[in-house]
Amino acid sequence: MSNTPRTVGVGLISVGWMGKVHSRAYQAIPVVYPELGIKPRLIIAADTAQDRADYAVNVLGYEKGTLDYHEVLNHPDVEVVSICAPNFLHAEIGIAAAKAGKAFWIEKPVGRGAAETEAVEAAAKEAGVISTIGFNYRNAPAVEHAKKIIAEGQLGRITNLRGTFFADYSSEPNGALSWRFIRKLAGSGVLGDLMGHLADLMHYIVGPISEVSAITKTVYTERPIQQMGVGTHFDVIEGGEKGPVENEDYGGMLVRFADNAVAAGAVGTLEASRVSVGPRASYNFEIYGTEGSIKWDFERMNELDIAIGRKGMHLGYQRVMVAPGFGDFAHFQPGAGTGMGYDDLKTIEARKFLESYIGGPSLNSNIHDAVASARVISAAEKSAESKQWVTVEPVAGTTSAKK
């Protein structure tokens, strides 16, 4: 570690919840990862609302606030940019960041479908900039450990899996018709929002998906209209004028894995819902092999259920608490039972991003991973419409688990 930490200039675009999470992650880097020798400098934050631009300066600690995101990209001291704006702006800003020569950490979905995501990929490749995608769940120490166990062959040959992401953030029928429900603003619904995470996680742990057969459903076809820029999609509006929901609330897929995947030949099911009642953020997978299986649920993110072996007196799942030795756990807590939280996953994400930016190991998710996930989602939309199996075109340069 250098005695003088390297300063990395940070710009932020959009000071909403995720912008705050990114900011806290940058601020945590010198404390959690002192060995990196990196000190992020929060230079400038942009938002369309003056009060949030002021919040970035007065509370988050940025040196300047602005209402124009181009000021962030044009600032000479900004080296890396966090893009946390609404979905419909991701591609526009991601392309602009690449053209400005800025490394960018962008939330998902990167585009409203595969075509927009591929346009960002092309811009990043042409500019030669580092990219990181907000696929935060892959950073959970339990997930990293599951990936390691599978890669080592401890579960034997992977035969089948199940994955779900069931959330309740749109389970209220009078929940506001925010941009998330409008196709030109959000693209797909729960497929892009939640299933995209799940597709990436499966890519990361067991390898690329090669074929999908999907079904979708819109449970609530109308919602109360909300004025753009007012409130959030969590708002409940009683008795207001209603407008149509233009994308899906539920998506389910049968999947097959590619021949070059760690789980080559495996099959499985993936499901996502934003209107489930009961699950709050139940993001989980079950992966089955010839010698064992493993289960994880984000609502209990510091635990794994592991079963290895087919003989003996102690067959079946054993609950394992994550501890030092599991992923990055030791950087946050000294021992099992003292759990990590969501923000810690974003701190790990910031570490991987900045480490790659300064020339260290490229352990971060990247724009190619975003394209791979987006192609699964686009294939699912085509399959749901055609009622046929659809092939997913492979993507080069991803961090998928391959043989």
Side-chain angles (χ1 to χ4, degrees):
M1 173 180 161
S2 170
N3 291 327
T4 304
R6 173 173 173 176
T7 298
V8 176
V10 173
L12 172 65
I13 298 175
S14 191
V15 192
W17 166 60
M18 189 52 65
K20 297 172 187 177
V21 173
H22 278 226
S23 300
R24 292 195 294 268
Y26 287 123
Q27 292 167 330
I29 289 294
V31 177
V32 178
Y33 297 101
E35 69 278 5
L36 288 182
I38 296 175
K39 184 177 181 180
R41 174 188 165 201
L42 306 186
I43 293 175
I44 181 171
D47 199 281
T48 55
Q50 185 64 56
D51 61 331
R52 296 205 289 192
D54 292 341
Y55 180 94
V57 175
N58 298 329
V59 179
L60 298 179
Y62 285 84
E63 296 170 12
K64 182 182 178 182
T66 178
L67 300 181
D68 182 359
Y69 80 77
H70 294 93
E71 283 195 49
V72 175
L73 301 182
N74 294 331
H75 198 294
D77 293 339
V78 170
E79 299 171 70
V80 303
V81 177
S82 276
I83 301 171
C84 303
N87 294 3
F88 60 93
L89 294 172
H90 284 180
E92 170 193 318
I93 300 173
I95 291 169
K99 289 182 176 179
K102 308 296 186 183
F104 60 88
W105 175 11
I106 187 169
E107 282 303 315
K108 42 59 57 192
V110 172
R112 291 167 294 185
E116 278 194 354
T117 309
E118 289 162 4
V120 180
E121 178 189 43
K125 287 173 67 175
E126 182 177 354
V129 296
I130 297 296
S131 58
T132 284
I133 315 303
F135 291 134
N136 36 264
Y137 300 99
R138 55 161 61 192
N139 300 314
V143 170
E144 296 280 23
H145 192 68
K147 175 181 172 68
K148 179 174 180 288
I149 285 175
I150 292 166
E152 291 173 350
Q154 292 190 47
L155 301 187
R157 176 171 55 88
I158 303 303
T159 58
N160 61 288
L161 60 82
R162 295 197 299 177
T164 64
F165 199 167
F166 288 170
D168 66 351
Y169 66 81
S170 299
S171 61
E172 169 54 59
N174 289 320
L177 186 75
S178 71
W179 60 265
R180 289 186 180 275
F181 304 102
I182 309 300
R183 183 159 285 275
K184 71 177 182 180
L185 301 180
S188 63
V190 75
L191 286 177
D193 192 23
L194 301 185
M195 187 70 86
H197 267 304
L198 195 53
D200 175 73
L201 198 64
M202 293 302 98
H203 287 167
Y204 186 61
I205 297 173
V206 296
I209 294 167
S210 61
E211 291 182 274
V212 305
S213 176
I215 187 170
T216 61
K217 181 178 178 62
T218 304
V219 175
Y220 299 112
T221 57
E222 290 186 323
R223 290 181 178 275
I225 295 172
Q226 180 185 55
Q227 182 182 344
M228 179 63 72
V230 177
T232 75
H233 67 271
F234 294 104
D235 290 348
V236 176
I237 302 174
E238 301 290 351
E241 180 187 355
K242 292 189 175 182
V245 173
E246 299 177 355
N247 50 30
E248 73 291 338
D249 291 328
Y250 167 87
M253 296 192 294
L254 298 173
V255 299
R256 294 190 180 106
F257 288 86
D259 291 340
N260 65 341
V262 166
V267 296
T269 62
L270 304 179
E271 290 184 280
S273 171
R274 62 188 181 188
V275 296
S276 53
V277 177
R280 306 309 312 272
S282 184
Y283 185 24
N284 56 72
F285 58 74
E286 303 172 15
I287 299 173
Y288 297 92
T290 54
E291 302 297 327
S293 59
I294 193 164
K295 297 196 298 187
W296 177 76
D297 187 339
F298 174 66
E299 290 187 348
R300 299 169 65 181
M301 64 171 276
N302 294 286
E303 303 175 21
L304 273 173
D305 289 329
I306 303 175
I308 296 179
R310 291 175 280 107
K311 299 178 182 178
M313 295 294 291
H314 298 149
L315 298 179
Y317 283 112
Q318 299 182 49
R319 173 173 169 261
V320 177
M321 299 291 292
V322 295
F326 288 61
D328 276 24
F329 186 88
H331 285 274
F332 296 88
Q333 301 295 354
T338 306
M340 291 172 56
Y342 179 90
D343 280 21
D344 296 331
L345 304 185
K346 301 305 277 191
T347 299
I348 297 171
E349 201 164 274
R351 187 269 294 177
K352 291 180 177 180
F353 175 42
L354 296 178
E355 191 172 37
S356 178
Y357 173 71
I358 66 171
S362 295
L363 304 176
N364 52 309
S365 58
N366 59 48
I367 189 61
H368 311 300
D369 292 309
V371 170
S373 174
R375 286 186 180 177
V376 171
I377 299 312
S378 290
E381 288 192 292
K382 292 176 184 176
S383 174
E385 183 176 351
S386 69
K387 298 180 173 59
Q388 302 290 324
W389 280 89
V390 175
T391 299
V392 181
E393 292 298 319
V395 181
T398 70
T399 58
S400 293
K402 299 174 184 175
K403 288 182 179 178

